[in-house]
């Protein structure tokens, strides 16, 4: 019996995906990320605008994107200055002194079906085109 080499088989199958399909998937993911960031910014509390400005997306490989909130612009000193915290997390999940005003995960849940549908459509269309042209 041959050894189960699932990861190697998976990587081999991924490498065989036509470049046009990977490009189409990447473009759909970028559009999804831009829409998600726009939605999350609309849901984020508006005080000084730092939180909204900290919501961003970036590429992470050929067909992956990362959407993040917080970071350097939203890091503050805690009471007494003993440590720093990212108030993007405090806004999302709350603290013992204030309830959360979630913006990140509700935005994702709101956009999830639309993003999945866009990605599936882009992949299906590009697969049909790639195999119709014989590539």
């Amino acid at each position: 019996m041959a050894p189960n080499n699932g990861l190697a088989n998976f990587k081999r199958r991924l490498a065989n995906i036509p470049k046009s399909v990977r490009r189409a998937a990447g473009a759909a993911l970028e559009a999804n990320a831009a829409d998600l960031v726009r939605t999350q910014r609309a849901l984020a509390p508006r005080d000084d605008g730092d939180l909204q400005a900290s919501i961003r997306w970036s590429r992470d490989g050929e067909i992956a994107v990362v959407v993040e909130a917080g970071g350097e612009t939203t890091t503050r000193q805690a009471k007494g200055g003993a440590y720093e915290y990212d108030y993007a997390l405090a806004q999302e999940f709350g603290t013992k002194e204030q309830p959360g005003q979630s913006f990140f995960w509700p935005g994702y849940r709101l956009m999830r079906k639309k993003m999945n549908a866009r990605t599936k459509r882009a992949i299906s269309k590009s697969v049909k085109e790639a195999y119709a042209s014989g590539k």
Side-chain angles (χ1 to χ4, degrees):
M1 179 177 236
N4 184 357
N5 202 356
L7 182 59
N9 289 340
F10 181 69
K11 287 181 178 180
R12 179 181 44 78
R13 291 177 69 190
L14 281 179
N16 289 332
I17 295 173
K19 288 190 186 292
S20 61
V21 175
R22 284 186 259 171
R23 276 193 302 273
L29 290 173
E30 286 182 3
N32 289 340
D35 283 351
L36 179 58
V37 165
R38 198 170 18 263
T39 300
Q40 289 172 334
R41 284 180 178 168
L43 294 173
R46 291 167 184 79
D47 287 332
D48 57 8
D50 287 345
L51 179 59
Q52 289 177 311
S54 77
I55 303 170
R56 65 207 175 274
W57 69 272
S58 61
R59 283 288 231 164
D60 185 28
E62 186 178 15
I63 54 172
V65 294
V66 175
V67 177
E68 300 174 294
E72 201 173 294
T73 60
T74 60
T75 300
R76 301 287 189 261
Q77 289 289 324
K79 288 183 180 177
Y83 61 92
E84 293 182 337
Y85 73 101
D86 191 338
Y87 78 82
L89 292 171
Q91 285 293 334
E92 182 70 16
F93 300 110
T95 66
K96 65 181 180 181
E97 295 162 4
Q98 76 174 32
Q101 293 177 296
S102 297
F103 62 94
F104 193 89
W105 289 109
Y108 169 75
R109 287 190 295 272
L110 181 67
M111 298 295 296
R112 180 176 35 204
K113 286 183 183 180
K114 179 181 178 182
M115 293 186 306
N116 286 338
R118 177 187 285 148
T119 304
K120 287 178 185 179
R121 269 193 318 273
I123 291 171
S124 295
K125 181 181 176 187
S126 61
V127 165
K128 288 176 186 175
E129 290 171 356
Y131 288 103
S133 66
K135 292 182 180 179

